[in-house]
Amino acid sequence: MKINGKHYRSVWPMGDDAFGIIDQTKLPHEFVTLTLRTVDDAAHAISSMQTRGAPLIGAVAAYGLALAMRADASDENLAAMHDMLAETRPTAINLRWALKRMVDALRNRPRETRATLAWTEAAAIADEDVAMSQAIGQNGLRIIKEIADRKPGKTVNILTHCNAGWLATVDYGTALAPIYLAHDAGIPLHIWVDETRPRGQGASLTAFELGGHGVAHTIIADNAGGHYMQAGKVDMVIVGTDRVTANGDVANKIGTYLKALAAKDNDVPFYVALPSSTIDWNLAHGRDIPIEERSADEVLKMTGRLPGGGVATVEIAAPGSPAANPGFDVTPARLVTGLITEKGTCAASPEGLRSLFPKG
Ligand code: MRU
């Protein structure tokens, strides 16, 4: 994607001993890039959410493990750094998927070749993520076109939650990839952007992306989506996901479940877009997905721009009140209209998933 005319991916190699990311904690107020030189830099970037989004943290962890191999390519370090990176965020399965793929590629290879092999494998993971996002975009575009054909000349209104755009992947996005392609194809679109409390990924990241691409959008409070659905102002919902279990249950940013319930009650189609690296074939049900509990500060404080231009964090709650902050919730498969993947769109069910991915 382009920022001020320059093409960026959300992660990129710098030579063969460092890589770059966009510091997403600074958006939308500042566009800052970071150079990560060690595996500890990569782990910190993931846990502090300088880099975030399920597919992207997988790619960043892969580059992080490659940096670890440059420092020490022993079996012991490979295992230890795998485990350390896997602990940085618990819910998104892409992180573990990418780390397993790295270990599988390196385990039986001579130590002196591991650093180079690891760098190549991390780059392959990143490139494949881009290709999967592009294919998801094409498959989702078909669904948006069908809706557009049913209301010729009128705007298609799509609601999305959190950020599942190019900032959450290596490029293009999952939920937002079909939206970008539909916009580029000339389909009139308007996106309802859930602000996505507590961290505000919708207001700060999705709105930043859509504005940069020229897609019409409106930021709404998370609680407004049901109201707009009742008013007939939402034609479809598309969200991303951090983990889909073998039965089609979907973990995504906290609040997604309530959107799915409201969509069901209003006959609004609710789609989930994902690369196959997000499917956890080893978990039968969504209730077994570990849900990340994040800092209470994310609920009790907000960061924003001051009238003078500086950026500050302020307290917004009654002093002394505690807060709870689950980062994700699980939407049961029965509320999902379809899963949009790089292989096509399927029902959120074991049969649906197997029809597209017979080998798992
Ligand atoms: O906590 P975050 O910002 O990493 O959560 C991101 C989401 O919930 C996204 O919707 C999900 O990772 C899919 S990204 C293509």
Side-chain angles (χ1 to χ4, degrees), residues 49 51-55 57 89 92 161-165 168-169 173-175 199 201 205 239-242 251-254 273 275 292 294 327-328:
M49 293 180 66
T51 193
R52 44 144 304 279
I57 60 177
R89 294 198 73 190
H161 191 70
C162 195
N163 171 262
T169 61
T174 57
R199 285 187 70 95
Q201 289 96 327
L205 305 178
V239 296
T241 169
D242 291 78
N252 193 47
K253 182 53 56 197
I254 193 76
E292 178 176 11
R294 294 195 56 87
F328 300 90

